[in-house]
Amino acid sequence: MCIFCKIISGDIPSKKVYEDEDVLAILDISQATLGHTLVLPKKHYDNLLTIDNGVYLKVMEKAKMLAEKIVPNLGAKGANILNNCNEVAGQSVMHFHVHILPRYDKEELKIEFKDHSKDYNLDDILNKIKQ
């Protein structure tokens, strides 16, 4: 049983931000930024590639609803809403979840996108995706 499943079952305590029959949202124990919240389905799915579409939509609907409260209530200037899919992408708990990361300052958290346009042929990539 994964750590999120243990939190959902009540075996591990958490700070619940929101709960309904399908979705649980908790404060992340690491608090990468003030108010860092995790939104997860109560049913276990490993990641974005395996989650049921209906459950995914419920999780994302609640993530949006919570972000709409978290940002103004905590005085944030914005938020990153993100999901890491598989270990190579930074997923450390193999239970689908969405991070709500309130942002107060551009420098508090680094999520960087580097320009690799000279390294890749976009036509080749497009053809592979469409196969």
Side-chain angles (χ1 to χ4, degrees):
M1 189 181 270
C2 80
I3 191 166
F4 288 169
C5 288
K6 290 178 182 178
I7 290 169
I8 292 163
S9 70
D11 293 339
I12 297 175
S14 65
K15 301 294 183 188
K16 293 180 184 178
V17 175
Y18 174 86
E19 183 174 21
D20 66 26
E21 75 178 59
D22 299 310
V23 177
L24 176 67
I26 59 173
L27 290 178
D28 190 309
I29 197 165
S30 71
Q31 289 295 287
T33 64
L34 179 77
H36 181 179
T37 300
L38 303 176
V39 186
L40 46 136
K42 287 187 172 179
K43 184 175 178 186
H44 182 93
Y45 295 93
D46 288 341
N47 58 45
L48 178 74
L49 301 175
T50 62
I51 192 169
D52 172 81
N53 287 342
V55 176
Y56 170 78
L57 291 173
K58 288 178 183 180
V59 170
M60 294 309 294
E61 179 183 292
K62 298 309 175 190
K64 180 183 185 305
M65 182 263 304
L66 291 167
E68 289 172 343
K69 290 181 178 186
I70 290 168
V71 170
N73 290 355
L74 294 180
K77 296 175 184 169
N80 291 100
I81 312 297
L82 66 92
N83 166 258
N84 300 321
C85 185
N86 286 329
E87 191 174 338
V88 70
Q91 185 179 5
S92 59
V93 177
M94 297 304 141
H95 183 122
F96 176 78
H97 58 287
V98 174
H99 297 260
I100 301 172
L101 293 152
R103 297 300 297 269
Y104 306 90
D105 179 290
K106 287 183 179 181
E107 302 303 317
E108 71 195 327
L109 181 67
K110 291 288 183 193
I111 299 173
E112 294 182 300
F113 295 92
K114 295 182 180 178
D115 180 358
H116 290 282
S117 58
K118 293 182 174 119
D119 303 325
Y120 303 124
N121 181 309
L122 297 182
D123 290 327
D124 288 345
I125 296 168
L126 184 61
N127 289 332
K128 287 180 182 178
I129 291 172
K130 288 187 170 186
Q131 288 180 359

